[in-house]
C-alpha cells in the first residue's frame, strides 16, 4: 500500500490568522505536562466533587431471611439472584456431578443462604398444586430421564413424556410451567388444551455435550428466570474451538433471546490464557409483554455516571479494559468527547447495566492501568457526543527558544504571541489527534472508504501495519498477507481491544463484503461514526485553508455567517446560517469571526462563491459526487453541521518559569543552566483543539 504523507507535513500547510513571529518549544514531555479537564454543560469542571451523593447504594433486594413467611406461589416473584445458586442435584441419585462450582457467580449477583430457601419455594409450589401421587410420578419421571441419559439409552416410547393432567386455572398453569422448569431444567413443559405435558429437554442434553452438566443445569434455570440485566457465566476455558461451539449453540438455539460475549479472566496471562463466555438477555427480549408500572420500574435499565481519570492511555483502550472488568461490552459506555492519549485527562462517562456498587468494586484493579473513577452516581440516561461545554487545559511548554534567525528577547516574543492569540483568536482547525498519528493510514482514509461502501478496503486500512517491528504490527502484517483472522487473533496482544473485536467478527463471518460489514458492527456506533467524521474534518481543514488563502479576513458575498453567537457550532441549525449578500459585503456588515463553513453531511448548505465550487470539486475528486452521507448497512447517518473558522481561548492565564522551579525529574539528564518553560491555562469550546491553539501561539508545528 502506498505510504501516505506524514501528518506533520499535512499540518505544516495550514494557515495562521495572526502575524507575530512565535517561538519554539516542546509540549507533552510527560503526560503531567498536558492536563485536560472536561467542562460539563453547567460549566463545572468534572474533576470536582459532585454536589450529589458520590456513591448511592441501590435499594437492597429482600434477602431470604426478610421474605414473608407465607409461601409465595409465584416463582417469578423470586429474583434471579435468589435462584441462581440453588443446589444442582435436587433429586437424590439423579446426578453425581461436582457440586462446588457456582456458574455465573459474581459477588453482586448473589444473596447468601438463598439456595435452600429458593428450593423450598419450588417444592412448596409443586406440593401445593399437585396431588401427592402426581408429584411422586413427576419426580420419578425426572429421575428416569436422567438415568437414561447417563446410561446413553435413547428416550423412546411412552416414558418420553409425562402428563400432569388438565389444569383449568390459567394462573396455576403458568406457575406450574415455571416451577417445573426451575426445579428440573433438563425438562420442558408444553401446554395442550389446558393439559401440561412434561418432556425431556433435548437442547439441555445437547448442551451437556459441550459443557458440564451443572453448567447446563444452571444455564437453563437462568434462561427460564428471564431476569433482565442479569448475566450467566460459563466456566473458564482455554480451548477457543470449544468456546466457539458453545457460542454457536447458544446463538442458534436462543439467539433471539440472549447474546454471548467472550472475556479474558481478570488474572488472564500467557501462563493462564483462560477466557469465559458470558450470556445476557437482549434488551428488547421482553418488550412484547404487557407490564405493570411496577414491573416497568423494576426492569428499567441501570445507568451509572462517573468521572474517569486516565494517564497516558488511549480512550478506546481504557473503555475496553473497563468493559472487561465490568463484564459488559464497549458500546455500553457513553461519553461526551474523545481525549488525548499522552496526557492526564478527566472526563464524564456513563455505563449501562452496571450499578454504582459494581463500579466502586473495581477501583483498585483499574489503578494498575493508570485509571481512576470517582463522582460515581446513578443517572437516568447515557451521554451523547458533544454533550459538554468545553475543556479546560493546564499545559507546560518546555525548552523554550527563539525561532531560527530571530534574535529578539525571548520573553517579549512569548508575551507578544500569547496576547495576540488571546485577542485575535486562532484558526479553528481539527487537530492531528482527529486523524491518528500513523504514517501510512489516517482515520479519514478509513472514513472515505466507509462512505464509498468499500467495506473490505476499510478493514484492510484499519489493519494496515506501520513500519515498526512490534507484536501489534507483526500481527497486522500477517493479516494483510494471509487474511487469516484466526491466526492473527493469536498474534494480536490482548490490550488491542478494537483490533481483536474486529478480528473475532472476521473469523466468525469471513473476510467478505458482508463479513466486513458485520465486523464493523463489533465497534460501537460512536466509533464507527468517528471514522466518517474524520474524513469530513479533513475536508473542512482544507476548505478553511482555501477560504483564507482566497479571501483573507474579508467577509465576501456568498460566505455563510452565524446569526446567533450563543449557539454552539455543532448545534447550529441552517435557519441560523445566513448567506452574505453583495450589499452586506459592501457595507462590511459582518466580521470574520462570524463566518462558518459546512462540515460535510446531507443537511447542510454550501457557500455561494468560489468556496462552494471548491467543495464540489473535492467531492468529485474523492468519488463522492453522488454521496448522500448515509450508510444504511452500518446504520450511520451524517447530517453535517457548521463550524466557525475562528475561535478564541477563554480564561487564559500564563506564567514564565525556570525549569529548576518545576518539580520534574528527567532520567539520564543534567541541566547545567536553567531553561525557560511556559505554564499556560485556558478553556476551549467543545470540539476545539489545544494543540491547534498552541500552534497559532508558537507558529510551530508539533
Amino acid at each position: 500500500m502506498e505510504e501516505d504523507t506524514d501528518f506533520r507535513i499535512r499540518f505544516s500547510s495550514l494557515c495562521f490568522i495572526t502575524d507575530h513571529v512565535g517561538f519554539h518549544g516542546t509540549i507533552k514531555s510527560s503526560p503531567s505536562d498536558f492536563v485536560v479537564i472536561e467542562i460539563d454543560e453547567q460549566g463545572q469542571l468534572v474533576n470536582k466533587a459532585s454536589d450529589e451523593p458520590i456513591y448511592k447504594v441501590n435499594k437492597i433486594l429482600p434477602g431470604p431471611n426478610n421474605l414473608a413467611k407465607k409461601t409465595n406461589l409465584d416463582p417469578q416473584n423470586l429474583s434471579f439472584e435468589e435462584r441462581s445458586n440453588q443446589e444442582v442435584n435436587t433429586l437424590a441419585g439423579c446426578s453425581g456431578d461436582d457440586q462446588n462450582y457456582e456458574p455465573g457467580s459474581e459477588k453482586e449477583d448473589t444473596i447468601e443462604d438463598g439456595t435452600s430457601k429458593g428450593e423450598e419455594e419450588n417444592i412448596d409450589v409443586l406440593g401445593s398444586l399437585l396431588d401427592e401421587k402426581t408429584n411422586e410420578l413427576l419426580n420419578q419421571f425426572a429421575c428416569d430421564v436422567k438415568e437414561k441419559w447417563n446410561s446413553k439409552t435413547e428416550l423412546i416410547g411412552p416414558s418420553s413424556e409425562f402428563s400432569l393432567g388438565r389444569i383449568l386455572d390459567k394462573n396455576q398453569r403458568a406457575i406450574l410451567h415455571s416451577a417445573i422448569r426451575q426445579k428440573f431444567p433438563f425438562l420442558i413443559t408444553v401446554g395442550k388444551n389446558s393439559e401440561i405435558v412434561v418432556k425431556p429437554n433435548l437442547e439441555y442434553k445437547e448442551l451437556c455435550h459441550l459443557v458440564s452438566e451443572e453448567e447446563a443445569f444452571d444455564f437453563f434455570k437462568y434462561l427460564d428466570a428471564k431476569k433482565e440485566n442479569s448475566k450467566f457465566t460459563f466456566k473458564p476455558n482455554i480451548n477457543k474451538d470449544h468456546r466457539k461451539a458453545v457460542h454457536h449453540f447458544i446463538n442458534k438455539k436462543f439467539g433471539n433471546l440472549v447474546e454471548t460475549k467472550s472475556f479474558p479472566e481478570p488474572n488472564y496471562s500467557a501462563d493462564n490464557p483462560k477466557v469465559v463466555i458470558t450470556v445476557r438477555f437482549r434488551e428488547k427480549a421482553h418488550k412484547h409483554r404487557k407490564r405493570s408500572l411496577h414491573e416497568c420500574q423494576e426492569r428499567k435499565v441501570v445507568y451509572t455516571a462517573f468521572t474517569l481519570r486516565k494517564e497516558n492511555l488511549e480512550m478506546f483502550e481504557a473503555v475496553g479494559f473497563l468493559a472487561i472488568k465490568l463484564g459488559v461490552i464497549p458500546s455500553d459506555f457513553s461519553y461526551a468527547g474523545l481525549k488525548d492519549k499522552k496526557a492526564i485527562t478527566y472526563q464524564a462517562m456513563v455505563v449501562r447495566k452496571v450499578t454504582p456498587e459494581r463500579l466502586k468494586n473495581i477501583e483498585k484493579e483499574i489503578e494498575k492501568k493508570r485509571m481512576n473513577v470517582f463522582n460515581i452516581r446513578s443517572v437516568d440516561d447515557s451521554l451523547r457526543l458533544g454533550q459538554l461545554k468545553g475543556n479546560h487545559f493546564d499545559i507546560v511548554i518546555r525548552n523554550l527558544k527563539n525561532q531560527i534567525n530571530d534574535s529578539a528577547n525571548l520573553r517579549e516574543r512569548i508575551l507578544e504571541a500569547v496576547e495576540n492569540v488571546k485577542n485575535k483568536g486562532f484558526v479553528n482547525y481539527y487537530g492531528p489527534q482527529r486523524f491518528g498519528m500513523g504514517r501510512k493510514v489516517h482515520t479519514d482514509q478509513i472514513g472515505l472508504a466507509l462512505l464509498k461502501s468499500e467495506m473490505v478496503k476499510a478493514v484492510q486500512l484499519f489493519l494496515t501495519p506501520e513500519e515498526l517491528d512490534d507484536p501489534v504490527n507483526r500481527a497486522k502484517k500477517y493479516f494483510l498477507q494471509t487474511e487469516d483472522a484466526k491466526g492473527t487473533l493469536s498474534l494480536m496482544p490482548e490490550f488491542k481491544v478494537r483490533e481483536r473485536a474486529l478480528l473475532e467478527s472476521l473469523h466468525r463471518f469471513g473476510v467478505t463484503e458482508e463479513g466486513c460489514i458485520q465486523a464493523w458492527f463489533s465497534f460501537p456506533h460512536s466509533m464507527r461514526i468517528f471514522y466518517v467524521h474524520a474524513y469530513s474534518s479533513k475536508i473542512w481543514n482544507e476548505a478553511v485553508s482555501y477560504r483564507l488563502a482566497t479571501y483573507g479576513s474579508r467577509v465576501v458575498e456568498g460566505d455563510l455567517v452565524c446569526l446567533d453567537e450563543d449557539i454552539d457550532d455543532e448545534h447550529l441549525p441552517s435557519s441560523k446560517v445566513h448567506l452574505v449578500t453583495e450589499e452586506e459585503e459592501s457595507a462590511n456588515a459582518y466580521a470574520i469571526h462570524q463566518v462558518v463553513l459546512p462540515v460535510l453531511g446531507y443537511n447542510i448548505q454550501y457557500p455561494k462563491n468560489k468556496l462552494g465550487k471548491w467543495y464540489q470539486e473535492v467531492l468529485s475528486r474523492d468519488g463522492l459526487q453522488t454521496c448522500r452521507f448515509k450508510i444504511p448497512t452500518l446504520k450511520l447517518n451524517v447530517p453535517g453541521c457548521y463550524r466557525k473558522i475562528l475561535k478564541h481561548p477563554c480564561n487564559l492565564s500564563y506564567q514564565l518559569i525556570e525549569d529548576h522551579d518545576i518539580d520534574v525529574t528527567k532520567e539520564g539528564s543534567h541541566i547545567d543552566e536553567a531553561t525557560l518553560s511556559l505554564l499556560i491555562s485556558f478553556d476551549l469550546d467543545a470540539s476545539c483543539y489545544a494543540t491547534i491553539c498552541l500552534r497559532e501561539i508558537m507558529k510551530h508545528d508539533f
Side-chain angles (χ1 to χ4, degrees):
M1 188 172 293
E2 187 176 341
E3 185 165 328
D4 189 19
T5 55
D6 181 66
F7 74 90
R8 290 182 180 84
I9 297 175
R10 276 192 185 196
F11 279 83
S12 64
S13 63
L14 302 184
C15 299
F16 296 104
I17 197 67
T18 52
D19 56 5
H20 58 265
V21 175
F23 54 92
H24 279 286
T26 304
I27 66 168
K28 298 189 177 182
S29 297
S30 70
S32 59
D33 280 356
F34 204 93
V35 178
V36 187
I37 307 169
E38 210 167 72
I39 305 171
D40 66 22
E41 290 182 307
Q42 288 70 47
Q44 300 298 312
L45 297 175
V46 300
N47 68 330
K48 304 298 182 186
S50 171
D51 291 334
E52 299 179 49
I54 298 302
Y55 180 47
K56 291 183 180 176
V57 179
N58 286 350
K59 188 166 64 176
I60 298 172
L61 291 171
N65 296 331
N66 298 326
L67 292 173
K69 293 184 179 179
K70 181 180 177 182
T71 301
N72 184 350
L73 293 182
D74 186 357
Q76 291 300 326
N77 288 338
L78 290 173
S79 68
F80 164 70
E81 288 85 354
E82 290 172 303
R83 293 185 287 199
S84 63
N85 287 331
Q86 292 173 1
E87 293 289 341
V88 172
N89 185 7
T90 61
L91 297 171
C94 287
S95 173
D97 292 323
D98 177 20
Q99 301 294 306
N100 294 325
Y101 173 63
E102 295 180 1
S105 62
E106 292 194 42
K107 291 181 180 178
E108 77 278 10
D109 282 343
T110 60
I111 294 180
E112 293 181 8
D113 302 323
T115 299
S116 59
K117 182 71 177 182
E119 197 63 48
E120 288 170 8
E121 293 281 357
N122 282 330
I123 293 169
D124 286 342
V125 169
L126 296 175
S128 64
L129 294 180
L130 299 176
D131 60 71
E132 186 177 347
K133 184 176 180 181
T134 304
N135 205 356
E136 287 178 2
L137 290 173
L138 174 62
N139 279 272
Q140 188 57 53
F141 175 75
C143 275
D144 290 345
V145 169
K146 294 298 289 294
E147 285 176 3
K148 288 181 179 179
W149 277 352
N150 293 337
S151 64
K152 312 300 184 203
T153 305
E154 289 298 317
L155 294 164
I156 56 174
S159 63
S160 60
E161 65 178 45
F162 173 73
S163 175
L164 297 179
R166 296 188 68 193
I167 312 292
L168 298 179
D169 187 280
K170 183 178 179 180
N171 289 331
Q172 288 187 1
R173 288 200 305 272
I175 292 168
L176 276 171
H177 277 295
S178 182
I180 292 168
R181 290 175 183 236
Q182 280 294 302
K183 186 175 180 182
F184 310 115
F186 51 90
L187 302 179
I188 59 171
T189 55
V190 181
K192 291 182 179 179
N193 299 323
S194 301
E195 178 188 13
I196 294 180
V197 177
V198 185
K199 298 181 178 183
N201 186 346
L202 299 182
E203 290 171 342
Y204 177 99
K205 184 181 180 183
E206 191 176 344
L207 183 59
C208 285
H209 293 310
L210 298 173
V211 299
S212 66
E213 185 167 351
E214 74 255 39
E215 288 177 278
F217 189 99
D218 283 280
F219 171 73
F220 277 93
K221 284 166 68 70
Y222 161 79
L223 207 59
D224 183 68
K226 295 183 176 66
K227 176 72 174 178
E228 216 168 21
N229 298 327
S230 62
K231 300 188 296 291
F232 178 88
T233 304
F234 287 97
K235 286 181 180 179
N237 194 325
I238 62 172
N239 187 323
K240 180 151 190 183
D241 289 333
H242 181 264
R243 294 197 307 271
K244 186 178 178 182
V246 175
H247 279 293
H248 180 75
F249 171 83
I250 293 174
N251 287 318
K252 180 181 177 183
K253 301 290 186 181
F254 314 107
N256 63 330
L257 185 65
V258 298
E259 58 185 351
T260 61
K261 289 285 180 183
S262 289
F263 294 103
E265 274 201 304
N267 59 345
Y268 183 97
S269 66
D271 298 327
N272 180 35
K274 291 184 178 179
V275 175
V276 295
I277 296 175
T278 296
V279 184
R280 73 178 186 186
F281 286 103
R282 294 188 183 277
E283 283 186 60
K284 299 180 181 178
H286 309 296
K287 288 193 176 178
H288 61 279
R289 290 177 49 211
K290 291 183 180 179
R291 299 195 292 247
S292 67
L293 177 61
H294 175 72
E295 286 178 311
C296 289
Q297 290 171 342
E298 287 280 313
R299 295 182 182 279
K300 188 177 179 182
V301 176
V302 174
Y303 292 94
T304 296
F306 61 98
T307 296
L308 172 68
R309 179 196 185 273
K310 63 179 181 65
E311 179 177 342
N312 201 28
L313 194 63
E314 187 186 41
M315 203 192 80
F316 292 131
E317 185 182 342
V319 168
F321 186 78
L322 287 171
I324 291 172
K325 292 298 179 184
L326 293 168
V328 295
I329 55 180
S331 57
D332 286 324
F333 289 83
S334 57
Y335 37 83
L338 305 180
K339 296 290 177 280
D340 299 72
K341 176 185 177 181
K342 193 172 182 181
I344 294 175
T345 66
Y346 297 82
Q347 67 188 114
M349 280 199 174
V350 173
V351 59
R352 294 188 307 166
K353 304 185 179 82
V354 173
T355 63
E357 296 92 331
R358 177 74 179 115
L359 183 58
K360 188 78 173 175
N361 286 341
I362 68 163
E363 283 183 313
K364 294 295 182 185
E365 294 180 73
I366 66 174
E367 285 178 4
K368 301 170 187 173
K369 288 286 284 186
R370 304 179 303 281
M371 288 191 287
N372 303 94
V373 291
F374 55 98
N375 284 348
I376 301 169
R377 61 202 183 279
S378 296
V379 291
D380 295 327
D381 207 350
S382 55
L383 283 169
R384 66 180 187 278
L385 285 173
Q387 194 176 342
L388 74 165
K389 188 173 182 180
N391 293 283
H392 172 80
F393 298 88
D394 292 313
I395 298 169
V396 181
I397 307 173
R398 300 190 185 279
N399 306 317
L400 300 176
K401 53 189 175 184
N402 290 81
Q403 299 277 21
I404 297 172
N405 299 324
D406 178 27
S407 59
N409 181 279
L410 178 58
R411 291 176 183 266
E412 291 178 0
R413 283 291 190 223
I414 294 169
L415 176 65
E416 171 196 38
V418 174
E419 289 296 328
N420 212 5
V421 172
K422 182 178 179 180
N423 296 322
K424 295 182 180 179
F426 59 94
V427 184
N428 192 24
Y429 289 116
Y430 288 98
Q433 307 95 305
R434 189 82 164 189
F435 311 103
M437 297 301 185
R439 292 174 181 271
K440 282 195 169 183
V441 174
H442 298 126
T443 54
D444 60 272
Q445 294 169 272
I446 298 171
L448 176 58
L450 293 176
L451 282 169
K452 295 168 78 171
S453 293
E454 297 173 343
M455 301 301 169
V456 176
K457 180 180 179 180
V459 166
Q460 291 171 338
L461 286 168
F462 180 81
L463 292 172
T464 296
E466 296 293 330
E467 295 296 337
L468 297 170
D469 187 25
D470 58 47
V472 174
N473 286 293
R474 285 197 293 270
K476 288 182 175 182
K477 185 177 181 181
Y478 175 80
F479 176 81
L480 289 191
Q481 291 172 340
T482 65
E483 291 193 349
D484 174 12
K486 182 179 179 181
T488 308
L489 262 173
S490 66
L491 299 173
M492 187 65 68
E494 287 293 330
F495 71 88
K496 300 303 286 184
V497 177
R498 281 179 293 169
E499 286 80 355
R500 291 188 62 83
L502 193 81
L503 288 165
E504 284 175 358
S505 290
L506 292 174
H507 175 44
R508 183 177 178 184
F509 297 107
V511 189
T512 61
E513 195 73 16
E514 180 60 32
C516 288
I517 290 172
Q518 294 300 321
W520 281 110
F521 275 103
S522 67
F523 290 2
H525 178 272
S526 59
M527 202 180 297
R528 298 197 301 276
I529 200 75
F530 168 77
Y531 293 103
V532 178
H533 285 166
Y535 172 76
S536 299
S537 302
K538 178 205 172 200
I539 300 305
W540 192 92
N541 277 4
E542 294 176 0
V544 74
S545 290
Y546 178 82
R547 164 65 181 74
L548 291 172
T550 304
Y551 299 119
S553 296
R554 294 184 299 122
V555 180
V556 301
E557 180 184 2
D559 270 340
L560 298 173
V561 293
C562 172
L563 296 179
D564 192 336
E565 296 288 322
D566 296 327
I567 299 178
D568 294 336
D569 290 6
E570 303 292 330
H571 306 107
L572 188 64
S574 292
S575 61
K576 296 292 184 181
V577 174
H578 172 70
L579 198 65
V580 177
T581 65
E582 182 180 3
E583 294 77 15
E584 288 169 333
E585 177 188 353
S586 300
N588 293 321
Y590 300 103
I592 187 66
H593 73 270
Q594 294 174 283
V595 175
V596 298
L597 291 182
V599 180
L600 295 176
Y602 61 78
N603 195 31
I604 49 98
Q605 61 173 317
Y606 293 101
K608 295 291 180 65
N609 48 31
K610 291 181 181 179
L611 194 54
K613 183 180 179 182
W614 178 91
Y615 268 104
Q616 299 309 317
E617 289 174 350
V618 167
L619 290 174
S620 180
R621 175 199 74 188
D622 290 345
L624 297 176
Q625 56 268 43
T626 60
C627 179
R628 299 180 60 192
F629 291 93
K630 295 182 180 182
I631 314 173
T633 52
L634 294 184
K635 297 183 179 178
L636 297 179
N637 292 317
V638 188
C641 61
Y642 299 93
R643 183 176 175 90
K644 289 183 179 177
I645 66 175
L646 295 185
K647 281 286 186 177
H648 286 75
C650 300
N651 301 320
L652 188 149
S653 63
Y654 58 97
Q655 180 184 4
L656 277 171
I657 196 165
E658 293 184 350
D659 259 355
H660 58 66
D661 291 335
I662 301 174
D663 183 17
V664 64
T665 303
K666 295 185 179 180
E667 277 188 39
S669 67
H670 177 69
I671 303 173
D672 291 324
E673 57 183 51
T675 56
L676 282 179
S677 290
L678 174 65
L679 280 62
I680 186 168
S681 297
F682 51 82
D683 299 343
L684 292 179
D685 290 340
S687 195
C688 294
Y689 291 80
T691 47
I692 295 298
C693 180
L694 295 178
R695 174 185 177 273
E696 186 84 44
I697 291 173
M698 299 169 68
K699 296 291 173 69
H700 172 53
D701 288 294
F702 304 108

